């Protein structure tokens, strides 16, 4: 039985089709396992709610793999680039480091340590005078986001690598409580379920986009200062998005109102960051699922992180370098840790709903990108025709009227018989809806 089926108490989904991302790691298998986990959890929920017999679940290898890239296909316009001009890999005196500078405060932190301006060549020159681990520590110390390239063996011997490997795949906590009834139907099992979404970039937003695909009412909250134009068109599909500044009393009061009426809270702040803003108390009925980058135990819990940084830390980029014969870090072909963690989080939400419906209390779950990397490292790649990208045959006929222009989407990668994934609304600009339940 796969690790996620064990964690969510589901049976593995039926996988059809062919194709695989070309990689040293089993990226396509991870796509199938994580999307299959959501489908299987939804099937269990339909049965637990007595909406019908447990439906069959099928994952398409090719489409699941493609959902690990961009699902949106703009018709006549372009999504802006998602990477900042100085983000990326740089050679240090003794190896490699990746700087993650997409957020302005992370970029300012890196530049303050390097004492240079935001120009790629100037940054490369400055980085070349540092040892990778020393520079990583210095940038992390001032609130930035960077990762030195480590080998797999180096990570396994590192206190953080050892801590993450020893963690459960999903940290579950059980609390007394019951979920409010929502308007579940056999063909729309999450209809009326209120999901408050405090996630950013890819991993968390993939989780809530998936819940919206089964009918959940998702409301995303961001501060007005936060922007991610390169990913918002892809990940806000099916959601409403509002602005709240959780550092002001009046907006905090609005958030408490929203939370009091919510069924599910999904977030991706560093451990303790959300509690520091809104306190640690949660309504008794609330299912809470969150992620962090480096895991929930060990010296690096609380470290800022993104998929591409975790790939550097945990040995994926280094192993890819040897496998591909490249002279620089060689990451996965897609941001697989983000996407897989997002689908696993969605599976955790649905699995928690099933447990609540069965009278087993309220379950809360914590996952991490680094622990997902351990799942990936154990999977065996299956060969098949190489997947290189989508073709028109992979796209749905539906035309999404996004705020940026018309777009098509990939066909769904997972099919729950009788409960197809589809989205009630197009993608949305951050802050474009009122901060209230619809
Ligand atoms: C994504 C991050 C790197 C972002 O880094 P930071 O913004 O520097 O860190 P924090 O989590 O501490 O963010 C909280 C900061 O934002 C402020 N903050 C956040 N939301 C609000 C609202 N709504 N209102 C007011 N202030 C806010 C908060 O007070 C903190 O500010 P201060 O108090 O002033 O600090 C980190 O949150 C993180 O590591 N998260 C866990 C992993 C994760 O989700 N990674 C991204 C997705 S995965 C991925 O790789 C990907 O998608 O790509």
């Amino acid at each position: 039985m796969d690790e996620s089926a064990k964690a969510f108490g589901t049976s593995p989904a039926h996988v059809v089709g062919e194709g695989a991302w070309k990689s040293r790691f089993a990226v396509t298998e991870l796509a199938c396992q994580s999307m299959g986990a959501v489908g299987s959890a939804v099937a269990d929920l339909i049965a637990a709610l007595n909406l019908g017999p447990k439906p069959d679940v099928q994952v398409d290898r090719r489409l699941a793999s493609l959902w690990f890239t961009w699902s949106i296909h703009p018709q006549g316009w372009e999504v802006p680039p998602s990477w900042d001009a100085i983000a990326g890999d740089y050679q240090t005196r003794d190896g490699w480091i990746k700087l993650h500078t997409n957020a302005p405060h992370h970029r300012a932190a890196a530049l303050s340590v390097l004492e240079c301006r935001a120009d790629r060549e100037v940054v490369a020159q400055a980085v070349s005078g540092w040892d990778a681990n020393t520079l990583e520590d210095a940038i992390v110390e001032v609130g930035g986001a960077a990762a030195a390239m480590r080998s797999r063996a180096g990570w396994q011997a590192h206190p953080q690598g050892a801590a993450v490997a020893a963690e459960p795949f999903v940290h579950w906590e059980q609390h007394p409580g019951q979920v409010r009834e929502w308007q579940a139907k056999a063909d729309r099992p999450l209809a009326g379920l209120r999901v408050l979404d405090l996630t950013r970039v890819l991993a968390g937003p993939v989780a809530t986009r998936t819940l919206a695909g089964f009918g959940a009412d998702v409301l995303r909250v961001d501060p007005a200062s936060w922007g991610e134009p390169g990913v918002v068109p892809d990940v806000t599909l099916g959601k409403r998005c509002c602005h709240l500044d959780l550092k002001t009393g009046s907006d905090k009061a609005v958030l408490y109102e929203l939370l009091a009426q919510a069924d599910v809270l999904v977030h991706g702040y560093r451990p303790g960051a959300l509690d520091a803003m809104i306190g640690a108390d949660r309504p008794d009925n609330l299912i809470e699922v969150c992620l962090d980058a480096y895991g929930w135990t060990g010296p690096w819990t609380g470290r800022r992180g993104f998929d591409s940084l975790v790939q550097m830390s945990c040995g994926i980029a280094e192993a890819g370098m040897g496998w591909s014969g490249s002279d620089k870090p060689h990451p996965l072909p897609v941001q697989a840790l983000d996407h897989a963690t997002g689908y696993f989080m969605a599976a955790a939400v649905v699995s928690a709903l099933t447990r609540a419906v069965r009278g087993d209390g309220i379950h809360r779950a914590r996952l991490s990108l680094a622990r997902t990397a351990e799942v990936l490292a154990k999977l065996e790649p299956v060969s098949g025709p190489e997947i290189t990208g989508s073709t028109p045959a992979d796209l749905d006929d539906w035309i999404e009227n996004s705020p940026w222009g018309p777009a098509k989407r990939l066909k769904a990668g997972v099919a729950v018989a009788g409960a197809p994934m589809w989205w009630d609304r197009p993608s949305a600009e951050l802050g474009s809806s009122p901060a209230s339940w619809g």
Side-chain angles (χ1 to χ4, degrees), residues 75-90:
Q75 307 289 297
W77 55 283
E78 281 180 17
V79 177
S82 53
W83 288 99
D84 172 62
I86 59 160
D89 298 332
Y90 292 91

Side-chain angles (χ1 to χ4, degrees), residues 105-106 200-203 222-223 244-247 268-270 273 277 291-293 303-307 335 338 369:
H105 58 300
H106 296 159
R200 295 179 280 178
V201 205
L202 282 175
D222 290 275
L244 285 179
D245 179 352
L246 300 179
K247 288 181 176 164
Y269 293 97
R270 294 180 307 126
M277 275 191 294
L291 88 144
D292 76 1
R303 180 172 288 226
R304 291 173 172 81
F306 295 88
D307 174 316
Q335 304 226 30
D338 272 343
L369 302 178

Side-chain angles (χ1 to χ4, degrees), residues 101-153:
T101 57
N102 291 352
H105 58 300
H106 296 159
R107 178 170 142 131
L111 291 175
S112 74
V113 170
L114 292 166
E115 296 181 323
C116 71
R117 63 192 162 84
D119 173 284
R120 236 190 141 82
E121 277 177 29
V122 176
V123 170
Q125 180 61 31
V127 170
S128 67
W130 287 77
D131 287 339
N133 288 353
T134 315
L135 180 56
E136 177 188 74
D137 286 347
I139 292 175
V140 166
E141 179 68 31
V142 296
M149 185 176 78
R150 290 179 165 77
S151 67
R152 188 83 193 118

